[in-house]
């Protein structure tokens, strides 16, 4: 693996300061073919758990064990966690996928992408190899970290009673989750006891409305980076929530993502104080970058090496405004209100489509594009013929 964690770096003497590591692990869902998409820093000594729906190759195991600083474990995803459940009408699901692919909806024709979203939504925390852990840090291939870490994020989570941590928030494509919010509303009516009185509803519902009155504004935490408590996903409240959603079949009839599912759950079930923005962790997952902006603290000091003008937090497609509103204008930890008021990146052609949001994005600073329907995204849109037969 050549480019995954460019920097996960604690102070060199961190182990001497904190000889007892938390009950935590890195988790990566990865294919054998992605072996060369990552690099690991040897200063971070937490274990790694690699998961795959296929057996890992000897080459993958040999190389990753030589790269990581902690112990490495390799797990297979159970078939029932990576396949359509019995109550899903396969023919109907395939027809829905074809229809979404025809409309150029991102991953609209992908069955494996739906397996992944359902797995992260409801099965990751059930995996037997996670049974001994309280926290995990989800890491994906082809991501970069841009800042030195001078503390242990897992210890921070525990000591500050944090349950869910993120770095990027943004809008979901409405065409992928058309019935998700009505389903959540129905769940809230059946289980009002699970709705926290000091929740983060203002992040996902505009206008200070309650769950049953307000509509979903499509904001979510981008879950390809998340540091979270496994105790929450294992709770009866979340298990009931996931099962309620899963029985609809809409992980397959639509294309419900684990990001909005996780985000809605933590926003309505947790105390808002349990949600943490790791603002000080520079991060990139194509095509978006989070780069801490204060120059003296993060850049003059040499702590971060990203370009703050590429910080996605300022973009109109980000949900920074909604998060700051939910936090009482304290969305940037330790920063003065207003630091993210003016957009730096341009969102081009954010016109209204059939579902109110066009998926054609262009980021002017790097020329990056995410344009379903164009050649570069064709493989994400096509029907996976023959898969799962």
């Amino acid at each position: 693996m050549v480019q995954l964690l460019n920097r996960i770096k604690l102070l060199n003497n961190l182990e001497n300061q904190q000889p007892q590591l938390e009950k935590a692990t890195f988790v990566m869902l990865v294919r054998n073919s992605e072996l060369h998409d990552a690099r690991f820093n040897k200063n971070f000594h937490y274990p790694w758990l690699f998961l795959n729906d296929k057996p890992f190759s000897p080459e993958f195991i040999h190389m990753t064990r030589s790269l990581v600083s902690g112990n490495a474990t390799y797990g297979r995803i159970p078939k029932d966690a990576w396949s359509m459940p019995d109550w899903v009408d396969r023919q109907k699901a395939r027809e829905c996928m074809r229809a979404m692919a025809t409309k150029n909806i991102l991953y609209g024709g992908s069955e494996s992408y739906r397996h992944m979203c359902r797995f992260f939504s409801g099965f990751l925390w059930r995996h037997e190899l996670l049974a001994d852990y309280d926290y995990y840090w989800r890491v994906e291939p082809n991501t970069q970290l841009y800042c030195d870490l001078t503390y242990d994020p897992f210890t921070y989570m525990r000591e500050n009673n944090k349950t869910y941590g993120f770095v990027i928030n943004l809008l979901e494509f409405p065409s992928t989750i058309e019935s998700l919010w009505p389903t959540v509303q129905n769940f809230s009516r059946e289980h009002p006891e699970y709705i926290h009185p000091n929740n983060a509803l203002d992040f996902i519902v505009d206008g200070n409305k309650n769950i049953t009155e307000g509509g979903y504004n499509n904001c979510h935490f981008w879950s390809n980076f998340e540091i979270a408590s496994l105790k929450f996903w294992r709770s009866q409240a979340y298990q009931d929530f996931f099962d309620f959603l899963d029985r609809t079949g809409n992980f397959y009839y639509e294309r419900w993502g684990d990001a909005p599912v996780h985000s809605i759950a933590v926003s309505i079930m947790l105390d808002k104080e349990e949600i943490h923005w790791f603002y000080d962790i520079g991060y990139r997952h194509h095509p978006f970058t989070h780069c801490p902006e204060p120059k003296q603290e993060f850049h003059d000091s040499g702590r971060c090496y990203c370009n703050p003008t590429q910080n996605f937090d300022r973009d109109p497609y980000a949900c920074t405004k909604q998060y700051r509103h939910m936090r009482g204008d304290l969305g940037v930890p330790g920063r003065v209100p207003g630091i993210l008021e003016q957009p730096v990146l341009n969102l081009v052609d954010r016109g209204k489509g059939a579902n109110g949001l066009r998926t054609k994005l262009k980021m002017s600073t790097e020329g990056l594009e995410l344009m379903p329907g164009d050649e570069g995204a064709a493989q994400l849109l096509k029907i996976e013929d023959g898969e799962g037969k």
Side-chain angles (χ1 to χ4, degrees):
M1 294 189 163
V2 228
Q3 289 177 352
L4 163 60
L5 293 180
N6 279 347
R7 283 188 179 180
I8 291 186
K9 183 179 179 183
L10 299 177
L11 293 176
N12 288 333
N13 62 349
L14 180 61
E15 279 196 312
N16 295 329
Q17 295 176 352
Q18 293 180 308
Q20 185 65 44
L21 296 178
E22 304 295 331
K23 295 175 65 177
T25 183
F26 295 107
V27 175
M28 179 186 287
L29 179 64
V30 60
R31 300 181 180 93
N32 288 305
S33 61
E34 296 171 308
L35 175 60
H36 297 284
D37 291 340
R39 178 166 72 239
F40 303 89
N41 188 292
K42 291 181 178 292
N43 291 330
F44 216 2
H45 298 278
Y46 277 100
W48 281 82
L49 171 58
F50 297 99
L51 296 174
N52 193 348
D53 62 310
K54 303 289 193 302
F56 282 108
S57 68
E59 180 189 11
F60 184 98
I61 293 174
H62 174 75
M63 183 170 286
T64 51
R65 278 187 173 155
S66 69
L67 289 172
V68 301
S69 57
N71 295 326
T73 307
Y74 305 84
R76 183 88 178 267
I77 298 174
K79 182 176 176 56
D80 66 339
W82 198 268
S83 60
M84 290 188 192
D86 294 340
W87 58 84
V88 171
D89 183 328
R90 178 173 290 273
Q91 181 177 352
K92 177 183 176 182
R94 298 292 289 176
E95 290 172 353
C96 292
M97 291 181 204
R98 289 190 180 92
M100 294 183 77
T102 300
K103 296 176 182 177
N104 286 346
I105 294 172
L106 190 65
Y107 298 107
S110 174
E111 182 175 332
S112 63
Y113 187 83
R114 287 166 168 83
H115 292 332
M116 180 194 69
C117 292
R118 181 171 178 260
F119 170 73
F120 276 120
S121 295
F123 294 93
L124 171 66
W125 41 271
R126 306 184 209 225
H127 199 285
E128 61 182 0
L129 294 178
L130 280 170
D132 293 333
Y133 297 111
D134 293 334
Y135 298 94
Y136 70 95
W137 181 336
R138 177 176 166 183
V139 182
E140 293 206 358
N142 285 310
T143 59
Q144 291 84 43
L145 295 179
Y146 293 124
C147 301
D148 290 346
L149 284 176
T150 58
Y151 63 96
D152 185 329
F154 296 122
T155 298
Y156 178 88
M157 295 282 286
R158 177 182 57 79
E159 291 182 345
N160 293 276
N161 194 32
K162 303 297 182 182
T163 297
Y164 189 84
F166 71 97
V167 291
I168 290 176
N169 53 48
L170 72 165
L171 296 170
E172 179 61 293
F173 301 131
S175 55
T176 65
I177 54 166
E178 291 180 347
S179 69
L180 177 57
W181 186 248
T183 305
V184 171
Q185 291 176 315
N186 289 337
F187 174 82
S188 71
R189 293 184 186 99
E190 292 192 21
H191 293 284
E193 71 277 13
Y194 292 153
I195 310 304
H196 199 286
N198 192 40
N199 59 51
L201 187 64
D202 286 347
F203 173 62
I204 58 173
V205 174
D206 296 331
N208 299 314
K209 297 180 180 179
N210 61 37
I211 296 177
T212 56
E213 293 175 345
Y216 182 36
N217 62 13
N218 301 309
C219 285
H220 67 282
F221 305 116
W222 215 20
S223 59
N224 47 66
F225 176 110
E226 59 183 10
I227 302 176
S229 166
L230 286 158
K231 292 180 181 179
F232 174 64
W233 307 129
R234 293 167 180 153
S235 69
Q236 191 62 53
Y238 183 77
Q239 291 188 46
D240 288 349
F241 177 77
F242 170 75
D243 290 343
F244 192 92
L245 269 53
D246 196 31
R247 294 299 300 187
T248 67
N250 285 323
F251 281 99
Y252 294 94
Y253 301 143
E254 297 182 17
R255 204 225 66 191
W256 291 359
D258 56 283
V261 169
H262 278 188
S263 301
I264 290 172
V266 302
S267 294
I268 67 175
M269 295 180 180
L270 294 180
D271 187 316
K272 66 175 66 176
E273 299 300 328
E274 296 178 64
I275 302 171
H276 180 66
W277 185 2
F278 281 100
Y279 183 82
D280 57 341
I281 297 180
Y283 174 76
R284 175 171 175 77
H285 185 294
H286 180 75
F288 302 129
T289 298
H290 166 72
C291 182
E293 295 188 7
K295 186 172 181 289
Q296 183 174 356
E297 179 179 357
F298 292 104
H299 302 282
D300 292 348
S301 65
R303 182 177 172 185
C304 298
Y305 68 99
C306 51
N307 184 346
T309 67
Q310 297 175 7
N311 185 17
F312 179 71
D313 303 344
R314 291 176 173 267
D315 194 276
Y317 195 68
C319 287
T320 308
K321 178 181 178 180
Q322 290 85 346
Y323 185 78
R324 290 176 61 215
H325 172 70
M326 179 274 293
R327 293 288 302 161
D329 212 19
L330 299 175
V332 183
R335 315 286 167 240
V336 296
I339 191 172
L340 298 175
E341 287 181 351
Q342 298 300 321
V344 170
L345 304 180
N346 292 323
L347 188 63
V348 179
D349 199 19
R350 191 188 177 198
K352 290 189 175 182
N355 295 288
L357 179 65
R358 186 174 176 83
T359 61
K360 188 171 183 178
L361 294 174
K362 289 187 178 180
M363 299 182 69
S364 61
T365 55
E366 296 180 281
L368 299 175
E369 299 185 359
L370 175 59
M371 296 185 291
D374 290 358
E375 290 184 7
Q379 73 274 19
L380 307 180
L381 303 169
K382 66 183 180 181
I383 286 287
E384 296 168 346
D385 293 323
E387 179 179 286
K389 291 183 179 178

